[in-house]
Amino acid sequence: MGRYLPLLISVLLSACGGGGSSSAPIQPPPPADTVPPAITLIGPNPQIIDAGSAYTELGATATDNVDGDISGAIVIDASAVDTSTAGSYEVRYDVRDGAGNSASTVVRAVTVVAPPPSSDATLSSLTLSAGTLVPAFDPAIIEYEVTVPFGVHRLAIVPLPNDPNASQRINDGASSTLDLAEGVNAVNILVTAEDGTTTTNYEIKATRLALAQQAYIKAVNPSVSDNFGTQAVLSGDGNTLIISSRFEDGAGVGVNSNPGNDDAEGSGAVYVYTRDAAGDWGSHSYIKASNTDSGDGFGESAAISRDGSTLAAGAPWEDSAATGVNGDQGNEFEFFDAGAVYVFTRDTGGTWTQQAYVKPSVINMNGAGGSSNEWFGRTVALSADGNKMAVGAISRSGPVASGSVFVFDRGSGGAWTETAIVSVPSFFFGSSLALSADGDTLAVGDFSDSSESTGINGAPAGNGLIDAGAAHVFVRNPDNTWLREAYFKASSPSDCEYFGDTVTLSDDGNMLAVGGPSEDNAGAVVICEEFDNRRNTTSGSVSLYARDTGGNWSLQEYLQASNAHNGDFFG
């Protein structure tokens, strides 16, 4: 074995990695990565953006000595950029490589600049309160014409610039509502662009027609002393006209009966006229009460709804003893001059039909022999939709002689119901009536009021001024009761002025006109700020009152004719 020992030792040393200079060296570990990546912006820096436009990210690239392209790992913070406001902003870019080395933050400046001012000096729309523009509005057309009736005194103009930053001025710029003179009125609308130099002038020739007679209307059966024209009332669109003739003598009943039979002296009639698209007026219907009788005075009062489809006519000297709505119409001469109101409706085909025969719920007697003298229907007023009606019954009898106003409402099925009685202990309370469009404000005149109070809601005073007159305003409560809101007297009342002989309300009920046809101030001016005491008997006047949001009334104007004379009865 001795001779094999060197060989065995050599094998063992080789297996153990030792034994001689032929073994491999040991390698040291690689060095740590400490080099940060680099970020390069794409696109301009600074980035310029117009105010109001959207921000668009231009992006960046990132490279690393070990990881290569790491652009997808870039974190971009653009939260500070506000493109709605001109100014300078920053967008920040950051990235880390796989070894956790952070690149130096790169900042892109973003400048948001205001765009140049617009040069748009056009209108996008142009509307008027009355009339129709000719030609139809087009922003590129600058010359127009419009024609309005004589009754249109003011024209509201609403121009809307296409660019909200442009400005516009109408004539002298004082108001967008213009007072129209008769004839041609020049309207200039100057639109100035945001740049302050570009302008467009739109021109409108607004012609207010002269007052001219359009029609001469007579009854289809004229006769002596018929009093044709007792009442003349137009619908809201001006295309339906009702004219009453309280002493007409026709003996017919209902709608379009024979107008030639004059056997019912003073029974009264109502005539309906309509205007066609060409502006021509024609006779449409001849209306009589359903229980025509001599002396009834059908048409002493009359009212029409705004759309012209509901008509009410009073016959204050009708004599039946019926009460309520659609009672027995046949028992004539039982209650002398009790009065009645008749309601008619027009269908879509233009045919009129009597809808209701209306009497008060209670008729008071005034002495023996069936005398009533309530004159229910002496006055009548309708709301705009025709569903609310007020009826005056002056000289109503009872423990205290007083006038009354009866209020009726029409239900969805067309049935009328009495909902209230409004009374004041004064003989001719209800001698004039007016309702607001919604029927919830009621004005009542009483030309016989003799109170010595003055102004609005004056303190109670004596009753020494015979027929000085007064007016009242009532408002409806949710439970259909009525609250007197104001009591009006002339500022300087005197005997026989008949203040309250006429009353008129605006649609919203916030303006009241009260006529005093026998008022005797002589100030020969259109509007008087003070009342003088110069005498000019029965020249007449109109007082205008306004109601504020708190329900308080105040005198706004005192009107007289510019050429006031004795006996004019203005108002």
Side-chain angles (χ1 to χ4, degrees):
M1 182 172 179
R3 61 178 179 170
Y4 295 109
L5 183 59
L7 177 60
L8 177 61
I9 294 172
S10 175
V11 172
L12 291 175
L13 288 174
S14 177
C16 294
S21 60
S22 60
S23 60
I26 298 176
Q27 297 293 329
D33 181 7
T34 59
V35 179
I39 299 174
T40 303
L41 294 178
I42 299 173
N45 184 17
Q47 180 181 354
I48 309 299
I49 300 175
D50 289 334
S53 62
Y55 169 72
T56 300
E57 173 55 46
L58 301 180
T61 62
T63 58
D64 183 70
N65 65 317
V66 174
D67 298 330
D69 185 359
I70 57 172
S71 301
I74 297 175
V75 176
I76 303 172
D77 181 7
S79 61
V81 177
D82 180 6
T83 59
S84 66
T85 306
S88 297
Y89 305 92
E90 290 184 347
V91 177
R92 304 177 69 86
Y93 299 81
D94 292 287
V95 70
R96 285 185 178 186
D97 62 15
N101 299 308
S102 296
S104 297
T105 299
V106 174
V107 175
R108 188 196 305 272
V110 176
T111 302
V112 177
V113 297
S118 170
S119 60
D120 186 351
T122 62
L123 294 175
S124 62
S125 66
L126 177 58
T127 57
L128 307 177
S129 60
T132 301
L133 284 175
V134 178
F137 177 74
D138 184 311
I141 299 175
I142 62 172
E143 294 183 354
Y144 299 89
E145 294 183 357
V146 64
T147 301
V148 298
F150 174 81
V152 177
H153 298 272
R154 308 191 79 195
L155 185 66
I157 303 169
V158 184
L160 183 64
N162 188 53
D163 177 8
N165 295 316
S167 62
Q168 49 82 18
R169 186 181 65 189
I170 301 172
N171 286 358
D172 60 5
S175 174
S176 60
T177 300
L178 305 179
D179 292 322
L180 297 179
E182 188 176 312
V184 177
N185 298 260
V187 181
N188 291 283
I189 305 168
L190 181 64
V191 183
T192 302
E194 184 186 16
D195 63 13
T197 58
T198 308
T199 61
T200 302
N201 189 59
Y202 292 85
E203 300 177 8
I204 303 174
K205 290 182 179 179
T207 301
R208 179 183 170 210
L209 296 176
L211 183 62
Q213 179 175 313
Q214 189 179 57
Y216 173 66
I217 298 176
K218 295 281 288 185
V220 295
N221 58 342
S223 185
V224 175
S225 300
D226 278 0
N227 274 198
F228 180 78
T230 304
Q231 301 289 338
V233 189
L234 279 169
S235 61
D237 61 7
N239 291 328
T240 301
L241 169 67
I242 59 172
I243 300 177
S244 66
S245 178
R246 62 179 176 174
F247 296 144
E248 187 265 355
D249 302 326
V253 296
V255 180
N256 292 330
S257 60
N258 179 13
N261 184 342
D262 285 349
D263 293 339
E265 183 177 357
S267 57
V270 172
Y271 303 80
V272 181
Y273 301 86
T274 56
R275 179 170 56 182
D276 61 23
D280 297 322
W281 288 91
S283 178
H284 185 277
S285 297
Y286 166 67
I287 298 178
K288 298 284 289 185
S290 51
N291 58 344
T292 296
D293 200 13
S294 298
D296 281 357
F298 176 77
E300 168 70 10
S301 61
I304 192 169
S305 61
R306 178 167 292 171
D307 66 359
S309 65
T310 298
L311 180 160
W317 305 298
E318 188 262 3
D319 304 322
S320 86
T323 57
V325 179
N326 293 329
D328 182 5
Q329 304 177 42
N331 48 2
E332 287 283 337
F333 306 114
E334 292 193 22
F335 277 35
F336 185 71
D337 291 350
V341 168
Y342 304 77
V343 178
F344 298 83
T345 58
R346 178 173 58 185
D347 62 23
T348 55
T351 301
W352 288 93
T353 305
Q354 182 171 316
Q355 184 181 62
Y357 168 65
V358 181
K359 299 279 285 185
S361 54
V362 176
I363 300 177
N364 294 324
M365 296 300 293
N366 182 18
S371 178
S372 172
N373 294 315
E374 290 203 350
W375 290 12
F376 177 84
R378 169 66 173 75
T379 51
V380 64
L382 285 171
S383 59
D385 61 6
N387 290 329
K388 298 172 183 177
M389 179 171 66
V391 180
I394 61 177
S395 71
R396 194 165 186 245
S397 309
V400 177
S402 65
S404 296
V405 175
F406 293 78
V407 181
F408 298 83
D409 289 357
R410 177 169 58 184
S412 57
W416 287 89
T417 304
E418 181 183 304
T419 58
I421 303 175
V422 181
S423 296
V424 166
S426 183
F427 206 58
F428 283 97
F429 174 82
S431 55
S432 59
L433 291 178
L435 278 173
S436 59
D438 63 7
D440 291 338
T441 298
L442 168 68
V444 183
D446 175 8
F447 66 73
S448 70
D449 183 289
S450 59
S451 167
E452 297 171 27
S453 298
T454 61
I456 302 171
N457 295 327
N463 292 309
L465 298 178
I466 299 173
D467 292 342
H472 309 254
V473 167
F474 299 84
V475 293
R476 186 196 301 250
N477 293 317
D479 62 355
N480 280 327
T481 59
W482 291 81
L483 172 69
R484 186 168 75 172
E485 188 174 61
Y487 171 59
F488 303 86
K489 294 285 291 185
S491 296
S492 181
S494 61
D495 291 336
C496 301
E497 289 190 345
Y498 300 116
F499 180 81
D501 186 63
T502 57
V503 293
T504 304
L505 279 171
S506 60
D507 273 0
D508 61 9
N510 291 329
M511 292 292 294
L512 169 70
V514 181
S518 296
E519 197 270 339
D520 55 17
N521 280 314
V525 294
V526 175
I527 298 176
C528 303
E529 297 298 335
E530 298 180 359
F531 296 87
D532 61 33
N533 291 314
R534 292 174 292 169
R535 301 294 293 178
N536 192 23
T537 304
T538 69
S539 59
S541 67
V542 173
S543 297
L544 297 180
Y545 301 89
R547 176 172 60 182
D548 63 22
T549 55
N552 302 302
W553 289 88
S554 60
L555 177 65
Q556 299 295 300
E557 306 285 2
Y558 169 74
L559 309 178
Q560 285 193 297
S562 57
N563 59 343
H565 289 94
N566 182 26
D568 283 353
F569 296 102
F570 178 81

